[in-house]
Amino acid sequence: MDIGRSRLLAAVARYGSMTAAADRLAYTPSAVSQQIRKLEGELGLQVLDRHAKGVDLTDAGRAVVEHVAGMERELAALEEQLEHIRGARAGTLRLGTFPTFGASLLPFAITSFTARHPGVSLTVRSARLAGLLELLHTREIEMAVLWDYEWSRLDERGLSIQQLLLDPTRLVVSAGHRLAGRTGTGFGELARERWITRADRHPVVDVLLRTCQAAGFEPAVAFEAHDYQEAQAMVAAGLGVALVPQLALSGVREDVRVLDLGGQAPVRRIMLAHSADRAPSPVGTAMAKILREVVREGAGSATPRRADGRKRRDDSPPPH
């Protein structure tokens, strides 16, 4: 059965005659009549009862028109839903992130996104770099926030990558440390320090080794922490000092101080990635725009913050 001819029959029923339907649809009456005859041939049933005063629907004709009306409603509902998806007012977004970004800038982006796009179902997955790459390749997430350093540039085939920001490395010392009253230092003053670093070959271990070796010494590691808050606690206790990415300093203890290293420590590149063969959805494009806005505004990252969320007064804002 031809759907177009069925809809033409519905127009005849709506406007009362084949002549009126032809006039409204820019057909000739004979063309309308011919299409209705073809429909009857397809169905093997008469859909119009033709008489001197016009036409009436037969039982078969009424059944066709009722179903066409249902299809019209479904098509209208589908178009409305597609328009919502097109305008990022509906749909689903699956986003990947890594812990320090998830604990610093991402909450600002999520708050803004959900306020602007309340009809979108947002799911966030947090993982380390290898896990995020796997989730992207298996399409379990649409897009992900990733990172790399200059000695391990991410050159992953099949990914489209855009830089979001550069995340500098800071030095964290205890409040009683000899450098605690300073806003910055150089690595030449740190050769005799003991270091708090991360366990399980975390990337910051490479940052520490490469930076110390470039300054001419090997770091003496006093403790391997499993997260940055644990590292801060060991620093506060005076066990050593630590290198920490800026994004990991969204909550700074009262008993530690954060120092700038004057560009002597590596900078981490933060990026947004999606599959190169898959154009971002409207909701993905909307999230990417918000992430760039949050980064540009520097929400929560420009100045180290105390654990209660207030900016520290004893540390000068580090350069962007």
Side-chain angles (χ1 to χ4, degrees), residues 45-222:
L45 291 167
Q46 187 175 339
V47 296
L48 287 177
D49 182 14
R50 300 162 178 82
H51 50 80
K53 294 184 179 181
V55 293
D56 292 318
L57 290 172
T58 64
D59 289 341
R62 277 190 291 274
V64 171
V65 169
E66 287 173 5
H67 282 279
V68 168
M71 287 189 292
E72 295 285 0
R73 289 191 295 271
E74 291 294 330
L75 287 172
L78 173 60
E79 180 56 37
E80 182 179 10
Q81 184 177 356
L82 292 175
E83 187 59 32
H84 284 172
I85 293 172
R86 193 176 296 116
R89 296 188 297 275
T92 300
L93 177 62
R94 298 183 300 277
L95 173 69
T97 187
F98 58 94
T100 51
F101 193 87
S104 55
L105 291 180
L106 187 59
F108 295 95
I110 290 174
T111 299
S112 180
F113 183 86
T114 54
R116 298 185 204 179
H117 308 281
V120 176
S121 175
L122 174 64
T123 302
V124 180
R125 298 280 298 274
S126 180
R128 288 193 175 183
L129 183 60
L132 292 173
L133 292 174
E134 178 67 17
L135 290 171
L136 279 170
H137 288 310
T138 58
R139 298 182 181 264
E140 293 179 59
I141 55 176
E142 177 179 335
M143 59 201 313
V145 182
L146 308 176
W147 57 266
D148 67 10
Y149 284 99
E150 60 182 356
W151 60 83
S152 59
R153 288 302 186 205
L154 190 61
D155 186 21
E156 193 79 7
R157 293 184 60 184
L159 291 185
S160 175
I161 296 175
Q162 294 181 338
Q163 179 176 302
L164 285 175
L165 76 153
L166 296 176
D167 186 24
T169 302
R170 306 300 185 198
L171 178 71
V172 181
V173 302
S174 69
H177 192 274
R178 60 187 175 84
L179 299 174
R182 306 252 296 266
T183 59
T185 188
F187 256 77
E189 298 185 79
L190 303 174
R192 297 183 180 278
E193 296 291 339
R194 287 160 58 83
W195 293 88
I196 310 300
T197 188
R198 292 288 301 274
D200 303 322
R201 295 297 302 174
H202 189 277
V204 80
V205 175
D206 274 342
V207 174
L208 175 63
L209 290 175
R210 288 171 179 270
T211 309
C212 291
Q213 289 168 358
F217 65 91
E218 293 290 330
V221 175

Side-chain angles (χ1 to χ4, degrees), residues 3 8 155 166 216 272 288 298 306:
I3 301 300
L8 189 57
D155 186 21
L166 296 176
L272 185 63
R306 304 185 333 189

